[in-house]
Amino acid sequence: MIVMMFAKFVLSMAGMVFVGQEVANLSTRLRLRLIDGIMKARWGFFTSQPTGRFTAAVSTDSDRAATAFKQAGLIFAKFVEILVYFVGALFISWQFSVAAVVLCVLLWIAVSRYMRMAKRAGRGKTKYNQRLAGAVTEVLTNIKALKAMNRHGHIAAVFDTDIDKLSRALRRENDSNAAVVALQDPLLAGFLVTGIYFGYNYFGMPFEALVATIWLLRRIAAKIGEIRAGMQGMFIDSSAFWSTVALIEETEIEAEQMQKGSSMILQNEARFADVSFAYPSRDVMKDINIAIEAGKVTTIIGPSGSGKTTIADLLVGLHQPRSGQVLIDGMSLKDGDLRQWRNRIGYIPQDNILFNDTVAQNVTLGDATIDNSRIEAALKLAGAWQFVSRLPAGLDEMVGVRGNLLSGGQRQRLSIARALINDPNLLILDEATSALDHDTALEICDSVRSLAGQRTILAITHQSLWIDAADRIYEMENGSVTLAEKHSS
Ligand SMILES: Nc1ncnc2c1ncn2[C@@H]1O[C@H](COP(=O)(O)OP(=O)(O)OP(=O)(O)O)[C@@H](O)[C@H]1O
Ligand SMILES: [Mg+2]
């Protein structure tokens, strides 16, 4: 027995060390692959996904996945231990071996119901955690409107349902744990008493054999208990593992095709040639033709929902035309090097959101090679230097969650600086000055206009100042585009 115990010690230690290392590796690998997948997925994939899926997967689910994996490893280690006991048992008596197998089966059957319960609890935990993570993110983004109109009560009611379901899953998890632990002792006691009775009276087992048998049976029962606890943990957390793996696979399938093609510089023009595009639920444009001349200011106007932002997204390659082509100097965007094309673009999206970081970080987006003089120059061009230089910490001032310590117009100017910092060939402004007073907007419009010549500017707007500044104006309406007369508005 001493030899057996020693063998067990060596085997289980080796198992534990291996499992520990692999668990740490696994959660790291899952997170890295997931983040890589998320970053590389195509834009259309994001717009169709609930945000909570990503947040929950990167935070809680990756850890739970690793825990499930650890449990699986521990189960294996315990299983090896049980095997060692069984081999030992064979040396004592065949009766014992039969008894041990019966014990295993009985204990297993007695708790199988609670194992199923654990599995269900795990699935609920994964599902409602994801839903809550998503809902909280979305509500926090809109909290101002909710509070201002006292409407947060209705949304909170929606949370309550999910929280209630999550709590039900947690209760189920606890119940199944408690039931399994509670069942262990009475089952074992009953079994031992019956075993001793039959062993002594009918099989004539000698006293020493009985003592050894009871000792071994207790050990085996304890190990089975541990295995079951491990399996329970594994069942509870395995749904997080599968859900994370599924998300990784999905993001990898939805990866953007970033082929190495010829480089696109935009020396002459960007052209939409008979481009049609539709979202799954809606046709947006049909056979449109646009020429965006290099070095000039092109302005696109048109009613809300007519597809102006969609044009910008097609030009950047975030969407692909259903038919027709987007051509840069005569070469189709799908044949060119998209990564390199985007490196040349400064894009100010319609709803810009700042990170909860410093002014400088928001402008450089973490690119440490950009020095302060370049940041300052971009801020000046964007008309932001005046207010930034007055902030107590200047470039190092924190802008708050989504930039809420700044005014709407200040946030817009930081977004413009962010787009200008890389000295882009093509600058796309989607309603970029809509939150600014006329004079500030005009100032920015003038400084952006002064960039034309070297750079190509595409402005999407309702503001007349961009129409005045334009070399060419297109008007979008009902899925088609017409060249508008200059100064027509
Ligand atoms: N991800 C999407 N999925 C489905 N439909 C979308 C999506 N994005 C936009 N749409 C729809 O496509 C149409 C064009 O949208 P787009 O954002 O291009 O309009 P827009 O001209 O920029 O409007 P606005 O002036 O209000 O910004 C809209 O009717 C909109 O409902
Ligand atoms: Mg738009």
Side-chain angles (χ1 to χ4, degrees), residues 8 138 180 190 206 215 236 241 243 251 263 265 275 289 307 332 347-348 352 383 449 460 470 479:
K8 178 218 123 172
E138 270 169 24
V180 167
W215 184 79
I236 286 166
F241 176 82
S243 152
T251 54
S263 70
I265 298 169
V275 169
N289 287 283
S332 173
Y347 188 178
I348 302 140
N352 56 77
R449 168 102 222 148
I460 293 167

Side-chain angles (χ1 to χ4, degrees), residues 43-44 47-48 277-285 302-311 313 319 350 430-431 460 462 476:
W43 170 241
T47 52
S48 65
F277 181 78
Y279 290 109
S281 53
R282 202 194 127 95
D283 289 345
V284 181
M285 58 191 77
S304 176
S306 56
K308 303 181 297 296
T309 299
T310 309
I311 290 208
D313 293 348
H319 295 308
Q350 191 166 7
D430 192 353
E431 301 288 2
I460 293 167
H462 294 107
M476 267 213 97

